[in-house]
Amino acid sequence: MRVVHLSTNDISGGAARAAYRLHRALLAIGCQSRMLVANRRSDDPTVQAIPAATNLITKLQRSWRSWRIRRAMQPYQQTRPAGLEPFSDDRSRYGAELVRALPPCDVVNLHWVAGFVDYTTFFRTVPRRVPIVWRLSDQQPFTGGCHYDEGCDRYTAACGSCPQLGSQNEHDLSRQIWVRKRDALAAVPPGRLHIVALNRWMATEVQRSSLFGQLPVHIIPNGLDTTVFMPYDQAYARATLGLPQQARIVLFVAMSVNNRRKGFAELTAALASMSDAPNLLLVSIGRNPPPIAAAIAHHPLGVINDDTRLALVYSAADLFVIPSLQDNMPGTVLEALACGTPVVGFDTGGIGELVRPGQTGWLAPVGDVDALRAAIQRLLDNPDERLYMSRRCRSIAVAEYRQDIQAQRYLELYHQVTAERVSAT
């Protein structure tokens, strides 16, 4: 089975790392897997970047396509609300170049492809005999450009008047993107495109979508290497990282403190009234140390790219907190579970399926700061409960979220969709 994975990045960002982990897991079970990406950061020979523009015509074409995309977004630069993540066009500067760069394959697996796959040219020119599987990292493939709709639900109709553009125009950029996506998908024969949702929440969102609602949907959670992400002795982990042994450590990832969907404002509000909690220490991972009240002890560890060191950080913590207001299947939660670290978060999206109350952590109603604080406090105050949950976290991660389980389920899906394509021709 020859599979080509298309991803904007290979190892930069959570969505890219999830795609790369699947790629490596498929290789491990004998699948002929390759990745084609826009931005290659690894030195993996099974990953290739789309060829650079080497002639004047290609350079001019890419520049012209990029200019059109920027021009379409320009009117909304002043109207977009603050605290949002990127808004992605359906077009790409690569146009039909991407399909020409595809290695020979039996299946194409799309991942997070914003800015890489041009919907119109891709779905019309990719070889018709090749089925397409699309693993959804977020909602953007079936919206008018947003990656998370933040509850607006316009993707269930035809977008337009987009709140994330600050627009009151029914025929704004979000509607234009939606129309182009609709027309591109209309060129796809029935049964050729299969959607992979990471959880029941995303499967429901797909079925509600006006663009993807009629497509076949399969639920396959992400996986990870549980021989790398594994529990370490807490005292050893803390000594290795230079963290105090007696501290009660709350861990959080602070990569996007300015993105309101990530819930950093809610987290800081929850922690504000815990400044008198004995031995409380906040440990963060992220490029820039987030602004934390001076009364709360805070130990930023910076960016950590080594998975073994990440496992040590999770093992050093008493709990991991993820305050996202909307999310799909955060890799950080999977990593915490595999390392035996209980998780506290809001009951939203896939987090509500990963965190099993009383078993792997506690959930709070979305945006409920008091409930979030109470859940954190409960775990900190109950070491026996944390120990029980730690063991359950690890056992569930090993039983349900190992990479080899994920890879085998994808391989079965690849065989299914290729067999269907053969019988249809």
Side-chain angles (χ1 to χ4, degrees):
M1 179 65 66
R2 301 171 301 172
V3 181
V4 173
H5 302 270
L6 299 183
S7 176
T8 303
N9 303 294
D10 55 352
I11 58 174
S12 177
R17 288 194 297 272
Y20 182 73
R21 286 171 177 170
L22 173 60
H23 162 61
R24 296 304 308 178
L26 286 166
L27 287 172
I29 63 170
C31 183
Q32 298 180 48
S33 181
R34 299 190 64 83
M35 284 190 80
L36 177 62
V37 301
N39 307 303
R40 182 173 181 258
R41 297 290 181 265
S42 72
D43 57 2
D44 188 334
T46 64
V47 177
Q48 68 183 75
I50 191 167
T54 56
N55 61 72
L56 181 60
I57 292 177
T58 301
K59 290 179 180 179
L60 290 173
Q61 288 174 334
R62 288 188 183 183
S63 295
W64 178 69
R65 295 186 195 113
S66 296
W67 175 80
R68 282 199 311 161
I69 294 168
R70 290 195 305 271
R71 186 184 65 170
M73 189 65 190
Q74 192 171 8
Y76 307 99
Q77 296 300 331
Q78 301 302 317
T79 61
R80 289 201 77 201
L84 296 175
E85 53 206 310
F87 191 94
S88 298
D89 205 288
D90 61 296
R91 295 167 294 181
S92 162
R93 71 192 187 107
Y94 301 107
E97 292 179 52
L98 176 58
V99 173
R100 293 195 291 269
L102 274 177
C105 59
D106 302 304
V107 177
V108 170
N109 199 148
L110 302 177
H111 296 272
W112 197 95
V113 292
F116 185 38
V117 168
D118 183 281
Y119 283 60
T120 299
T121 58
F122 178 80
F123 288 112
R124 290 180 179 174
T125 60
V126 70
R128 294 180 65 84
R129 63 172 182 79
V130 178
I132 303 164
V133 171
W134 200 337
R135 184 187 66 87
L136 300 187
S137 300
D138 56 33
Q139 296 175 299
Q140 190 272 338
F142 54 80
T143 72
C146 67
H147 288 261
Y148 286 92
D149 76 321
E150 298 193 353
C152 93
D153 274 357
R154 283 172 171 80
Y155 70 91
T156 62
C159 289
S161 297
C162 178
Q164 294 196 34
L165 293 176
S167 168
Q168 300 298 319
N169 181 0
E170 282 291 329
H171 300 284
D172 62 14
L173 179 60
S174 72
R175 172 68 62 81
Q176 296 164 31
I177 290 173
W178 182 92
V179 168
R180 287 196 296 266
K181 286 182 176 181
R182 179 201 62 190
D183 294 346
L185 291 167
V188 180
R192 187 188 187 194
L193 174 58
H194 288 247
I195 304 302
V196 173
L198 306 183
N199 46 54
R200 295 187 302 276
W201 170 76
M202 182 58 83
T204 300
E205 297 300 288
V206 169
Q207 290 162 351
R208 295 175 65 220
S209 161
S210 56
L211 291 175
F212 280 15
Q214 303 304 312
L215 298 174
V217 183
H218 313 263
I219 299 178
I220 306 178
N222 284 339
L224 78 170
D225 189 341
T226 55
T227 66
V228 174
F229 287 96
M230 57 182 289
Y232 287 85
D233 176 76
Q234 189 176 81
Y236 167 75
R238 291 184 176 189
T240 302
L241 297 166
L243 299 173
Q245 294 291 341
Q246 301 306 314
R248 298 192 300 169
I249 295 179
V250 174
L251 171 68
F252 64 100
V253 176
M255 294 295 185
S256 304
V257 297
N258 294 321
N259 183 343
R260 69 187 186 192
R261 180 182 63 85
K262 294 293 188 178
F264 184 70
E266 286 73 13
L267 175 61
T268 54
L271 296 173
S273 60
M274 297 180 64
S275 58
D276 58 349
N279 297 321
L280 177 64
L281 176 63
L282 303 177
V283 173
S284 66
I285 300 172
R287 184 167 291 104
N288 299 308
I292 298 293
I296 301 174
H298 177 212
H299 188 112
L301 293 173
V303 176
I304 299 177
N305 293 317
D306 179 76
D307 286 348
T308 300
R309 188 169 179 82
L310 272 176
L312 283 171
V313 177
Y314 287 111
S315 299
D318 291 300
L319 64 94
F320 173 69
V321 61
I322 179 162
S324 297
L325 303 174
Q326 191 177 26
D327 221 324
N328 186 14
M329 190 177 190
T332 52
V333 176
L334 272 187
E335 292 165 359
L337 296 181
C339 295
T341 307
V343 180
V344 171
F346 289 128
D347 187 3
T348 182
I351 296 174
E353 297 177 39
L354 288 172
V355 181
R356 304 175 188 183
Q359 295 190 60
T360 61
W362 293 109
L363 293 167
V366 179
D368 190 331
V369 169
D370 291 336
L372 184 68
R373 179 180 60 251
I376 295 171
Q377 193 71 60
R378 173 172 179 164
L379 269 179
L380 289 176
D381 291 344
N382 291 277
D384 290 341
E385 185 175 79
R386 290 203 311 272
L387 179 60
Y388 165 76
M389 287 188 178
S390 177
R391 292 168 177 165
R392 286 294 291 150
C393 287
R394 176 63 182 175
S395 64
I396 289 172
V398 170
E400 300 181 24
Y401 301 118
R402 295 197 320 271
Q403 273 187 337
D404 61 310
I405 296 175
Q406 179 200 23
Q408 189 59 48
R409 294 183 69 185
Y410 271 90
L411 189 57
E412 291 170 2
L413 177 58
Y414 298 152
H415 284 297
Q416 174 191 329
V417 298
T418 53
E420 290 175 359
R421 292 303 298 160
V422 169
S423 63
T425 55

